[in-house]
């Protein structure tokens, strides 16, 4: 396996880790998995936001401070975290737009 292949695999692993965590959070919300622990919609939203922000931040730190193969993993983490943050921003903008255009 060449160095380029290792880098691509590490980037894919970093991206997949965050993508799976975000997806599992959405699936847990849709199935109300943690209802017995008292979780409602807000706890799932907070989890999604913290996973996205944490992944973006950890990805940037890993990209700057880690040795060669881990830099690619940091890129994958940062990319997936950024996509998660963009999803959160899009949902907030959609909610605000719908709230402002609601006629009661």
């Amino acid at each position: 396996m060449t160095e380029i292949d290792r880098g691509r695999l590490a980037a894919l692993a970093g991206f997949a880790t965050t993508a799976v965590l975000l997806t599992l959070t959405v699936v847990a919300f849709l199935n109300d998995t943690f209802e017995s622990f008292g979780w409602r919609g807000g706890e799932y939203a907070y989890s999604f936001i913290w996973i996205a922000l944490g992944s973006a931040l950890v990805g940037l730190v890993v990209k700057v401070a880690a040795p060669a193969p881990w830099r690619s993993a940091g890129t994958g983490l940062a990319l997936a975290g950024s996509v998660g943050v963009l999803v959160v921003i899009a949902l907030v903008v959609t909610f605000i737009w719908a709230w402002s255009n609601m006629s009661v």
Side-chain angles (χ1 to χ4, degrees), residues 53-66 73-75 77-79 82:
L53 289 173
S55 175
L57 180 66
V58 168
L60 292 174
V61 169
V62 169
K63 183 155 180 63
V64 170
T75 301
L77 282 169
L79 180 63
S82 299

Side-chain angles (χ1 to χ4, degrees), residues 1-74:
M1 182 178 277
T2 66
E3 189 68 29
I4 293 173
D5 291 337
R6 283 190 197 119
R8 287 181 181 165
L9 187 61
L12 179 63
F15 185 88
T17 300
T18 302
V20 166
L21 287 173
L22 293 173
T23 303
L24 287 175
T25 304
V26 171
V27 169
F29 168 71
L30 294 175
N31 293 325
D32 217 5
T33 304
F34 298 116
E35 181 182 15
S36 62
F37 296 116
W39 280 37
R40 303 287 184 256
E43 285 83 2
Y44 296 104
Y46 288 136
S47 297
F48 191 93
I49 291 168
W50 283 115
I51 290 169
L53 289 173
S55 175
L57 180 66
V58 168
L60 292 174
V61 169
V62 169
K63 183 155 180 63
V64 170
W70 290 102
R71 287 187 196 132
S72 296

Side-chain angles (χ1 to χ4, degrees), residues 79-102:
L79 180 63
S82 299
V83 170
V85 170
L86 290 175
V87 167
V88 169
I89 290 170
L91 289 173
V92 168
V93 167
T94 302
F95 178 77
I96 291 172
W97 177 82
W99 188 265
S100 66
N101 290 321
M102 187 172 63

